[in-house]
């Protein structure tokens, strides 16, 4: 186990370096940060002086080395736009993104798994057909459109829920949470649905497919032959064995939920990291972009590791040190 | 982190407390972009400066029609052509309780001209600022300048003691290692204090009952909440649903929706910004064209042909949906007294074709065009329309529309003015014509040390002579006539092609009364909520 984790950590560092390098090469094509940092009347000489002070005239490899050395100390520099330390800015936005992501993942799991089980067991029920049809919509509409639709129905027309923002938050010192206030919870509903809908569909279809597969196997037939209840067969045996792929997918999807929260956060002006990232792209705020990309890469690496470890918990036949599947 | 957190916590605590009062009126609004920091000298941008103008005040301020009014200076006089005397208002206090005195003005003058400041144009480097007594300051100029104080409404005076105590006398620069106190905290003299600022998320303002003009106040809101909402659809939805009292800008295609909705209305009006086209007339051969060995734009006939080929009414109706004011001038008519002497060349594609033939391009030619797609109202659509209009006179335009970050990186001085034909917008920061003559119409030097935004390099030494005279002419009538002469020469040669003033569109709840200023700035002291 220890050897496995160490090996994984080394891999992780390599992945992060590659991400950083690619990000760095990309930044040169995003545009000129200086024009976003100064007013239009700032003279060309001053613009150039600023460019030099920021090290933007240095060779790209020098810039890259400097970035890596600083990043290793969790120093991502000062935002070009906001003139504040980037690590602090990202940390202050982290709670918003994590709360949104986790709530939408829970929503997807808690609704998706039962729907998947149901449609798996009762393949021909009209409810199953309805679920499947509706889930097609969830897959095919882009989250941007779903978000706007939800806003127009629930915020503008019905006026039940807010159309933007996080509501009022409670500051716990290290974490600002919207989960403890009514307005915070209300503000969470629409973005969480928007962000979770795709995952919900995915999980439902996955569980359904796995259930159909497992229900055909011999040990289920034997279980039935032994006279176990439907409930014990479906949930005790069948569902348990469908969970490995579900855990894998959920784990990996949690990473993408956080990473792709960008669009949902933009539609709902949700003050998370994704919104910060998108704004920084528009403003060519390279320190924020770099830090965010590193953070997301880190997140994926960690989630992958956790998923691998969880395999052994759910299914002891999987051996990590045997160079197990991923 | 530590103080930003506490500031935010304190801000929300205050905000929540205020909601408890029966009479309290909270005004909530959203703008498309963020307030990027609280230091009033770190970014010369209309939105940031305008918003901070509710907190920090200048020696002057501007009224609803942008007329200059006394603010921290009660009055001023020109005692010699090069010596201006400002009499400061007495009894003014900063938000922290400190007295406002001449020392603060001298300090602010130094700070605003410091290396890291983005507002250096507020006072020339050669202007001497002299304290006469605690409430009188002289500004000694190297040469006369009638518009010395034109931009001072956005030069907020800071408290010397406060800046020194908090070690924030220097303006924060992005190359600094640690954040500055003034970037996260504000201490002005204005009608509102900032009580909570969460960067890019929310800023809370609270009325300042100790404001020097509080006795005459014309507003009834005591708390203001600013939220940035970048997504157009969300911003409009937040207004329609009644969550916000005001949002801006409203995209032109949504104006009808806002108008048609119960409880909201759209406030529209011309903005000061002029959108125009420019042509490279400096290089001997265009960078992006099939014409080799010569530059067609050096010939005024070609430029006139382009001007006459543009159907500005069609752009107004089809693209701007009526929300634009076609213009013959590079400055808003609002800002120049003699603007009614000028008229656009009428749309005349036949005449344009003839001009092209006369210039030696009977079959037209090809040229590349640069255009931003996220900077001005419908910028890319305007460029596409220009492309199709020019096609009618035989000119084939290859359009390169890209985000502003890429666009400006390409066409500005830093990249050697890499463009042949472009669209740009300009608002003179001083609200005065000289700014445009100096920045856009003046001859450009090769490296761009003069007229850095004259991307096409239009050059007429006679215009430059006038520009120099306009700078030092104290007599307003003579000065206006010289400006008109300069603009006339520029128009005769079609140095640039002015298109229009784009429109302002604010979405406002019916319960709210406010003043819409043509510089797109919201001053809270005009806001009333019923």
């Amino acid at each position: 186990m220890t050897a496995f984790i160490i090996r994984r950590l080394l891999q992780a560092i390599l992945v992060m370096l590659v991400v950083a390098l690619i990000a760095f090469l990309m930044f040169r094509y995003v545009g000129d940060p200086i024009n976003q940092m100064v007013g239009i009347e700032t003279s060309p000489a001053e613009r150039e002086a600023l460019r030099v002070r920021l090290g933007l005239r240095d060779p790209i490899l020098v810039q890259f080395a400097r970035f890596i050395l600083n990043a290793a100390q969790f120093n991502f520099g000062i935002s070009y736009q906001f003139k504040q330390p980037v690590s602090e800015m990202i940390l202050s936005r982290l709670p918003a993104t994590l709360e949104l992501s986790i709530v939408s993942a829970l929503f997807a799991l808690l609704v998706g798994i039962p729907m998947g089980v149901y449609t798996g067991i009762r393949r021909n029920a009209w409810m199953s057909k309805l679920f499947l049809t509706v889930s097609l919509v969830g897959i095919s509409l882009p989250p941007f459109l779903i978000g706007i639709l939800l806003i127009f129905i629930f915020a503008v027309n019905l006026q039940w829920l807010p159309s933007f923002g996080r509501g009022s938050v409670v500051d716990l010192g290290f974490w600002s949470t919207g989960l403890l206030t009514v307005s915070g919870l209300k503000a969470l509903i629409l973005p969480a649905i928007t962000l979770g809908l795709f995952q919900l569909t995915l999980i439902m279809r996955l569980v359904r497919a796995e259930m159909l597969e497992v229900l055909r196997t011999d040990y289920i037939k034997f279980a039935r032959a032994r006279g176990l209840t439907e409930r014990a067969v479906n949930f005790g045996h069948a569902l348990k064995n469908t969970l490995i792929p579900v855990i894998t997918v959920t784990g990996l999807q949690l990473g993408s939920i956080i990473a792709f929260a960008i669009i949902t956060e933009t539609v709902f002006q949700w003050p998370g990291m994704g919104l910060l990232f998108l704004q920084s792209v528009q403003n060519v705020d390279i320190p924020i972009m770099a830090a965010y990309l590193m953070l997301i890469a880190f997140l994926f690496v960690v989630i992958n590791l956790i998923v691998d470890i969880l395999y052994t918990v759910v299914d002891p036949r999987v051996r990590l040190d045997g160079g197990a599947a991923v | 982190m530590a103080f930003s957190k506490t500031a935010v916590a304190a801000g929300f605590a205050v905000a929540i407390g205020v909601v408890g009062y029966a009479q309290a009126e909270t005004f909530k609004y959203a703008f498309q972009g963020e307030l990027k920091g609280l230091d009033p000298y770190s970014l010369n941008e209309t939105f940031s400066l305008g918003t901070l103008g509710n907190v920090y005040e200048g020696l002057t301020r501007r009224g609803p029609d942008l007329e200059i009014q006394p603010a921290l200076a009660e009055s001023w006089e020109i005692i010699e052509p090069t010596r201006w005397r400002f009499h400061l208002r007495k009894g003014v206090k900063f938000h922290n309780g400190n007295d406002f005195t001449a020392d603060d003005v001298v300090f602010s003058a130094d700070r605003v001209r410091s290396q890291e400041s983005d507002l250096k144009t507020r006072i020339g480097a050669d202007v001497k600022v002299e304290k006469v007594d605690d409430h009188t300051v002289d500004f000694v100029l190297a040469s006369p300048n009638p518009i010395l104080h034109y931009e001072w409404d956005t030069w907020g005076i800071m408290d010397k003691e406060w800046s020194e105590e908090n070690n924030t006398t220097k303006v924060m620069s992005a190359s600094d290692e640690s954040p500055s106190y003034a970037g996260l905290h504000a201490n002005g003299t204005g009608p509102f204090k900032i009580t909570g600022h969460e960067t890019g998320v929310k800023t809370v303002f609270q009325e300042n009952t100790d404001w020097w003009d509080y006795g005459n106040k014309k507003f009834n809101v005591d708390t203001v909440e600013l939220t940035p909402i970048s997504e157009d659809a969300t911003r409009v939805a937040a207004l329609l649903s009644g969550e916000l009292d005001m949002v801006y800008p409203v995209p032109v295609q949504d104006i009808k929706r806002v108008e048609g909705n119960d409880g909201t209305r759209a406030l529209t009006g011309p903005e000061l910004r002029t959108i125009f086209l420019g042509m490279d007339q400096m290089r001997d051969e265009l960078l992006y064209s099939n014409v080799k060995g010569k530059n067609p734009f050096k010939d005024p006939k070609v430029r006139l042909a382009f001007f006459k080929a543009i159907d500005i009414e069609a752009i107004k109706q089809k693209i701007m949906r009526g929300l634009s004011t076609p213009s013959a001038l590079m400055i808003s008519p609002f800002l120049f007294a003699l603007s009614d002497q000028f008229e656009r060349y009428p749309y005349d594609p036949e005449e344009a074709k003839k001009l092209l033939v006369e210039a030696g391009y009977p079959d037209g030619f090809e040229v590349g065009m640069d255009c931003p797609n996220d900077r001005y109202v419908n910028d890319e659509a305007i460029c596409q329309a220009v492309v199709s209009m020019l096609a009618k006179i035989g000119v084939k335009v290859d359009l390169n529309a890209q985000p502003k970050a890429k666009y400006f990186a390409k066409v500005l001085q830093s990249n050697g003015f890499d463009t042949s034909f472009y669209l740009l917008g300009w608002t003179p920061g001083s609200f005065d014509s000289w700014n445009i003559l100096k920045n856009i119409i003046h001859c450009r030097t090769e490296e761009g040390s003069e007229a850095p935004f004259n991307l096409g390099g239009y050059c007429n030494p006679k215009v430059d002579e006038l520009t120099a005279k306009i700078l030092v002419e104290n007599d307003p009538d003579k000065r206006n006539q010289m400006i008109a002469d300069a603009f006339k020469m520029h128009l005769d040669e079609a140095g640039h092609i002015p298109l229009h003033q784009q429109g302002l569109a604010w979405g406002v709840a019916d319960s709210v009364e406010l003043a819409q200023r043509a510089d797109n700035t919201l001053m809270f002291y005009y806001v009333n909520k019923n």
Side-chain angles (χ1 to χ4, degrees):
Chain A
M1 187 79 163
T2 321
F4 168 78
I5 291 177
I6 290 172
R7 203 165 59 231
R8 262 325 184 60
L9 283 178
L10 290 177
Q11 279 175 13
I13 291 171
L14 188 70
V15 168
M16 306 278 290
L17 282 175
V18 172
V19 168
L21 183 63
I22 294 174
F24 245 79
L25 293 175
M26 259 168 36
F27 293 154
R28 296 198 294 169
Y29 301 101
V30 183
D32 182 7
I34 303 295
N35 292 315
Q36 323 292 319
M37 293 169 66
V38 297
I40 197 143
E41 284 169 45
T42 303
S43 76
E46 283 176 50
R47 286 166 196 250
E48 189 57 33
L50 184 58
R51 195 170 279 123
V52 171
R53 282 214 305 280
L54 290 173
L56 292 168
R57 282 288 185 224
D58 297 340
I60 195 80
L61 278 178
V62 174
Q63 294 186 42
F64 179 63
R66 189 165 51 217
F67 173 74
I68 293 295
L69 285 177
N70 286 331
Q73 305 161 48
F74 203 64
N75 171 13
F76 291 96
I78 301 273
S79 153
Y80 289 171
Q81 288 290 308
F82 299 110
K83 317 258 187 337
Q84 287 180 43
V86 170
S87 28
E88 283 179 16
M89 291 189 70
I90 290 198
L91 275 184
S92 74
R93 298 292 192 99
L94 190 68
T97 296
L98 283 186
E99 285 184 0
L100 173 62
S101 305
I102 290 167
V103 168
S104 68
L106 284 177
F107 159 73
L109 279 176
L110 296 180
V111 181
I113 292 180
M115 278 168 82
V117 171
Y118 183 84
T119 51
I121 299 172
R122 302 186 182 226
R123 288 161 60 183
N124 296 317
W126 66 269
M127 281 269 279
S128 293
K129 285 174 184 155
L130 180 75
F131 285 162
L132 288 172
T133 316
V134 171
S135 76
L136 261 186
V137 178
I139 289 258
S140 42
L141 280 184
F144 177 80
L145 205 61
I146 293 176
I148 297 284
L149 277 175
L150 289 177
I151 287 177
F152 274 90
I153 298 170
F154 293 102
V156 177
N157 287 329
L158 298 173
Q159 308 206 343
W160 290 348
L161 297 167
S163 59
F164 73 96
R166 243 187 127 188
S168 48
V169 292
V170 177
D171 201 336
L172 304 176
F174 63 100
W175 191 271
S176 70
T177 180
L179 300 175
L180 298 177
T181 62
V182 177
S183 74
L185 289 172
K186 279 170 92 176
L188 194 56
I189 297 174
L190 294 185
I193 292 177
T194 307
L195 186 56
L197 207 56
F198 182 84
Q199 317 299 332
L200 183 152
T201 309
L202 198 71
I203 288 170
M204 179 190 117
R205 294 196 161 236
L206 188 70
V207 170
R208 176 176 180 270
E210 289 290 325
M211 283 295 279
L212 290 176
E213 186 81 8
V214 171
L215 287 173
R216 271 201 298 271
T217 55
D218 288 343
Y219 74 86
I220 296 292
K221 287 178 190 157
F222 281 123
R224 287 231 167 83
R226 275 167 57 212
L228 294 181
T229 59
E230 272 300 292
R231 191 188 163 81
V233 172
N234 287 336
F235 292 93
H237 291 80
L239 180 61
K240 202 176 164 197
N241 283 295
T242 64
L243 283 184
I244 286 212
V246 173
I247 288 173
T248 315
V249 167
T250 312
L252 291 178
Q253 289 297 320
L254 185 62
S256 9
I257 289 181
I258 295 172
F260 297 124
I262 292 175
I263 296 167
T264 307
E265 288 186 5
T266 310
V267 173
F268 289 95
Q269 195 66 30
W270 186 263
M273 298 183 300
L275 183 64
L276 184 67
F277 176 72
L278 206 83
Q279 288 164 344
S280 69
V281 171
Q282 280 159 0
N283 296 325
V284 202
D285 201 334
I286 293 174
I288 294 184
M289 286 154 73
Y292 178 80
L293 289 174
M294 294 297 281
L295 185 72
I296 292 297
F298 178 72
L299 212 66
F300 271 91
V301 167
V302 170
I303 287 171
N304 258 316
L305 184 67
I306 294 174
V307 168
D308 283 353
I309 295 171
L310 275 183
Y311 276 161
T312 50
V313 180
V314 179
D315 188 348
R317 284 174 304 171
V318 179
R319 293 271 155 81
L320 290 175
D321 40 16
V326 166
Chain B
M1 186 79 160
F3 44 66
S4 71
K5 268 263 163 77
T6 32
V8 167
F12 288 128
V14 171
I16 290 162
V18 161
V19 175
Y21 284 116
Q23 300 301 316
E25 289 290 359
T26 301
F27 172 72
K28 297 181 180 180
Y29 77 109
F31 179 68
Q32 166 186 54
E34 314 95 30
L35 181 59
K36 298 211 168 115
L38 302 186
D39 190 323
Y41 304 164
S42 79
L43 183 63
N44 188 9
E45 178 222 21
T46 309
F47 175 72
S48 294
L49 291 180
T51 308
L52 290 176
N54 291 297
V55 178
Y56 285 101
E57 292 176 297
L59 295 181
T60 67
R61 65 180 179 188
R62 290 202 183 243
D65 293 324
L66 298 175
E67 71 280 12
I68 294 177
Q69 300 175 343
L72 290 184
E74 271 179 327
S75 64
W76 51 91
E77 58 200 316
I78 304 179
I79 46 182
E80 294 160 31
T82 56
R83 180 179 284 269
W84 291 49
R85 175 157 293 177
F86 283 79
H87 302 281
L88 307 183
R89 196 175 294 278
K90 290 176 185 147
V92 174
K93 289 199 183 296
F94 284 97
H95 294 159
N96 66 352
N98 287 357
D99 286 322
F100 159 72
T101 65
D103 290 328
D104 298 315
V105 176
V106 176
F107 165 76
S108 297
D110 288 339
R111 194 175 188 273
V112 83
R113 289 185 289 182
S114 64
Q115 164 76 37
E116 292 79 14
S117 163
D118 195 33
L119 271 69
K120 293 191 200 58
T121 52
R122 294 298 181 278
I123 316 179
D126 52 2
V127 175
K128 287 195 194 66
V129 184
E130 294 174 359
K131 173 182 172 181
V132 178
D133 61 45
D134 268 357
H135 293 96
T136 313
V137 181
D138 278 3
F139 291 79
V140 188
L141 285 59
S143 56
N145 177 6
I147 57 166
L148 174 71
H149 59 311
Y150 269 37
E151 289 185 78
W152 285 7
D153 56 311
T154 51
W155 167 38
I157 302 298
M158 295 178 72
D159 180 7
K160 184 180 184 213
E161 279 173 77
W162 178 81
S163 302
E164 284 168 353
E165 269 166 29
N166 295 298
N167 197 15
T168 194
T169 52
K170 188 171 159 285
V171 180
M172 173 80 186
S173 159
S175 56
D176 290 350
E177 293 288 317
S178 54
S180 87
Y181 190 79
L184 294 165
H185 304 83
N187 178 38
T189 57
F192 283 81
K193 307 174 186 183
I194 290 182
T195 51
H197 176 61
E198 219 179 329
T199 305
V201 179
K202 190 182 198 177
T203 307
V204 182
F205 305 79
Q206 197 75 46
E207 78 170 335
N208 170 20
T209 48
D210 296 324
W211 185 40
W212 55 268
D213 207 12
Y214 193 76
N216 304 318
K217 75 162 186 168
K218 295 181 182 70
F219 58 93
N220 71 351
V221 295
D222 51 26
T223 308
V224 176
E225 273 181 36
L226 159 67
T227 316
I229 301 185
S230 50
E231 197 55 51
D232 285 340
T234 312
R235 194 164 60 246
V236 172
L239 175 74
L240 298 180
S241 68
E243 290 163 80
L244 294 178
D245 300 309
M246 184 259 189
V247 301
Y248 74 120
V250 173
V252 287
Q253 60 274 16
D254 287 335
I255 290 176
K256 278 210 176 113
R257 266 191 71 106
V258 172
E259 282 288 344
N261 181 54
D262 275 345
T264 59
R265 66 189 194 275
L267 275 187
T268 57
E271 199 191 332
L272 298 177
R273 175 173 282 122
T274 303
I275 304 293
F276 60 90
L277 302 174
M279 297 142 283
D280 177 10
Q281 42 209 285
M282 199 158 173
R283 290 186 179 86
D284 291 328
E285 183 181 300
L286 289 179
L287 294 174
Y288 306 97
S289 172
N290 63 348
V291 179
K292 297 297 165 200
K294 58 177 174 173
N295 177 348
F297 288 135
K298 278 188 187 285
D299 188 339
K301 282 184 181 149
V302 174
R303 305 197 300 255
L304 272 173
F306 272 48
F307 201 137
K308 291 181 177 179
I310 289 165
D311 184 355
I312 198 70
E313 282 303 320
I315 292 179
K316 176 176 175 174
Q317 297 312 328
K318 303 234 169 72
I319 295 166
M320 305 301 286
R321 313 223 182 169
L323 201 61
S324 71
T325 315
S327 174
L329 275 179
M330 298 293 283
I331 190 164
S332 161
F334 202 66
L335 299 178
F336 179 46
L338 304 182
S339 55
D340 51 1
Q341 296 180 356
F342 294 82
E343 249 179 69
R344 280 185 66 85
Y345 296 109
Y347 170 57
D348 190 345
E350 289 310 313
E351 175 69 17
K353 263 188 217 164
K354 264 184 226 154
L355 281 167
L356 275 188
V357 174
E358 283 174 36
Y361 303 96
D363 304 320
F365 57 94
E366 290 176 25
V367 65
M369 179 180 193
D370 292 289
C371 187
N373 62 16
D374 59 352
R375 179 66 188 89
Y376 311 111
V377 177
N378 293 339
D379 38 15
E380 186 175 0
I382 296 169
C383 289
Q384 281 165 348
V386 166
V387 169
S388 65
M389 288 165 187
L390 289 174
K392 286 183 190 150
I393 63 164
V395 176
K396 187 173 173 290
V397 180
D398 182 18
L399 179 62
N400 176 19
Q402 46 186 351
K404 59 177 189 263
K406 301 275 297 171
Y407 169 78
F408 286 114
K410 179 170 190 283
V411 304
L412 289 187
Q413 184 267 349
S414 55
N415 198 34
F417 305 103
D418 180 14
T419 184
S420 296
F421 184 36
Y422 62 91
L423 176 135
L424 193 68
W426 190 270
T427 308
S430 59
F431 301 153
D432 179 76
S433 303
W434 183 78
N435 171 292
I436 285 166
L437 289 165
K438 180 69 181 169
N439 281 303
I440 296 181
I441 297 179
H442 200 279
C443 293
R444 193 185 84 205
T445 44
E446 196 70 47
E447 73 284 9
S449 56
E450 288 289 328
F453 297 94
N454 183 1
L455 309 184
Y458 165 80
C459 182
N460 183 339
K462 282 187 192 148
V463 174
D464 288 7
E465 264 173 48
L466 277 174
T467 305
K469 283 188 198 155
I470 291 162
L471 175 63
V472 295
E473 179 55 65
N474 274 340
D475 177 37
D477 291 335
K478 271 194 206 162
R479 189 170 183 273
N480 276 342
Q481 192 50 52
M482 288 196 285
I483 293 172
D485 292 345
F487 281 155
K488 180 87 181 20
M489 286 186 229
H490 177 254
L491 183 64
D492 284 347
E493 300 179 309
H496 293 79
I497 304 174
L499 296 176
H500 55 239
Q501 265 76 49
Q502 64 183 30
L504 290 178
W506 297 5
V508 187
D510 285 342
S511 57
V512 170
E513 289 299 326
L514 45 75
Q516 181 179 44
R517 270 188 8 188
D519 62 349
N520 208 14
T521 295
L522 173 68
M523 299 307 288
F524 305 157
Y525 50 64
Y526 303 130
V527 178
N528 279 282
K529 196 175 162 183
N530 306 312

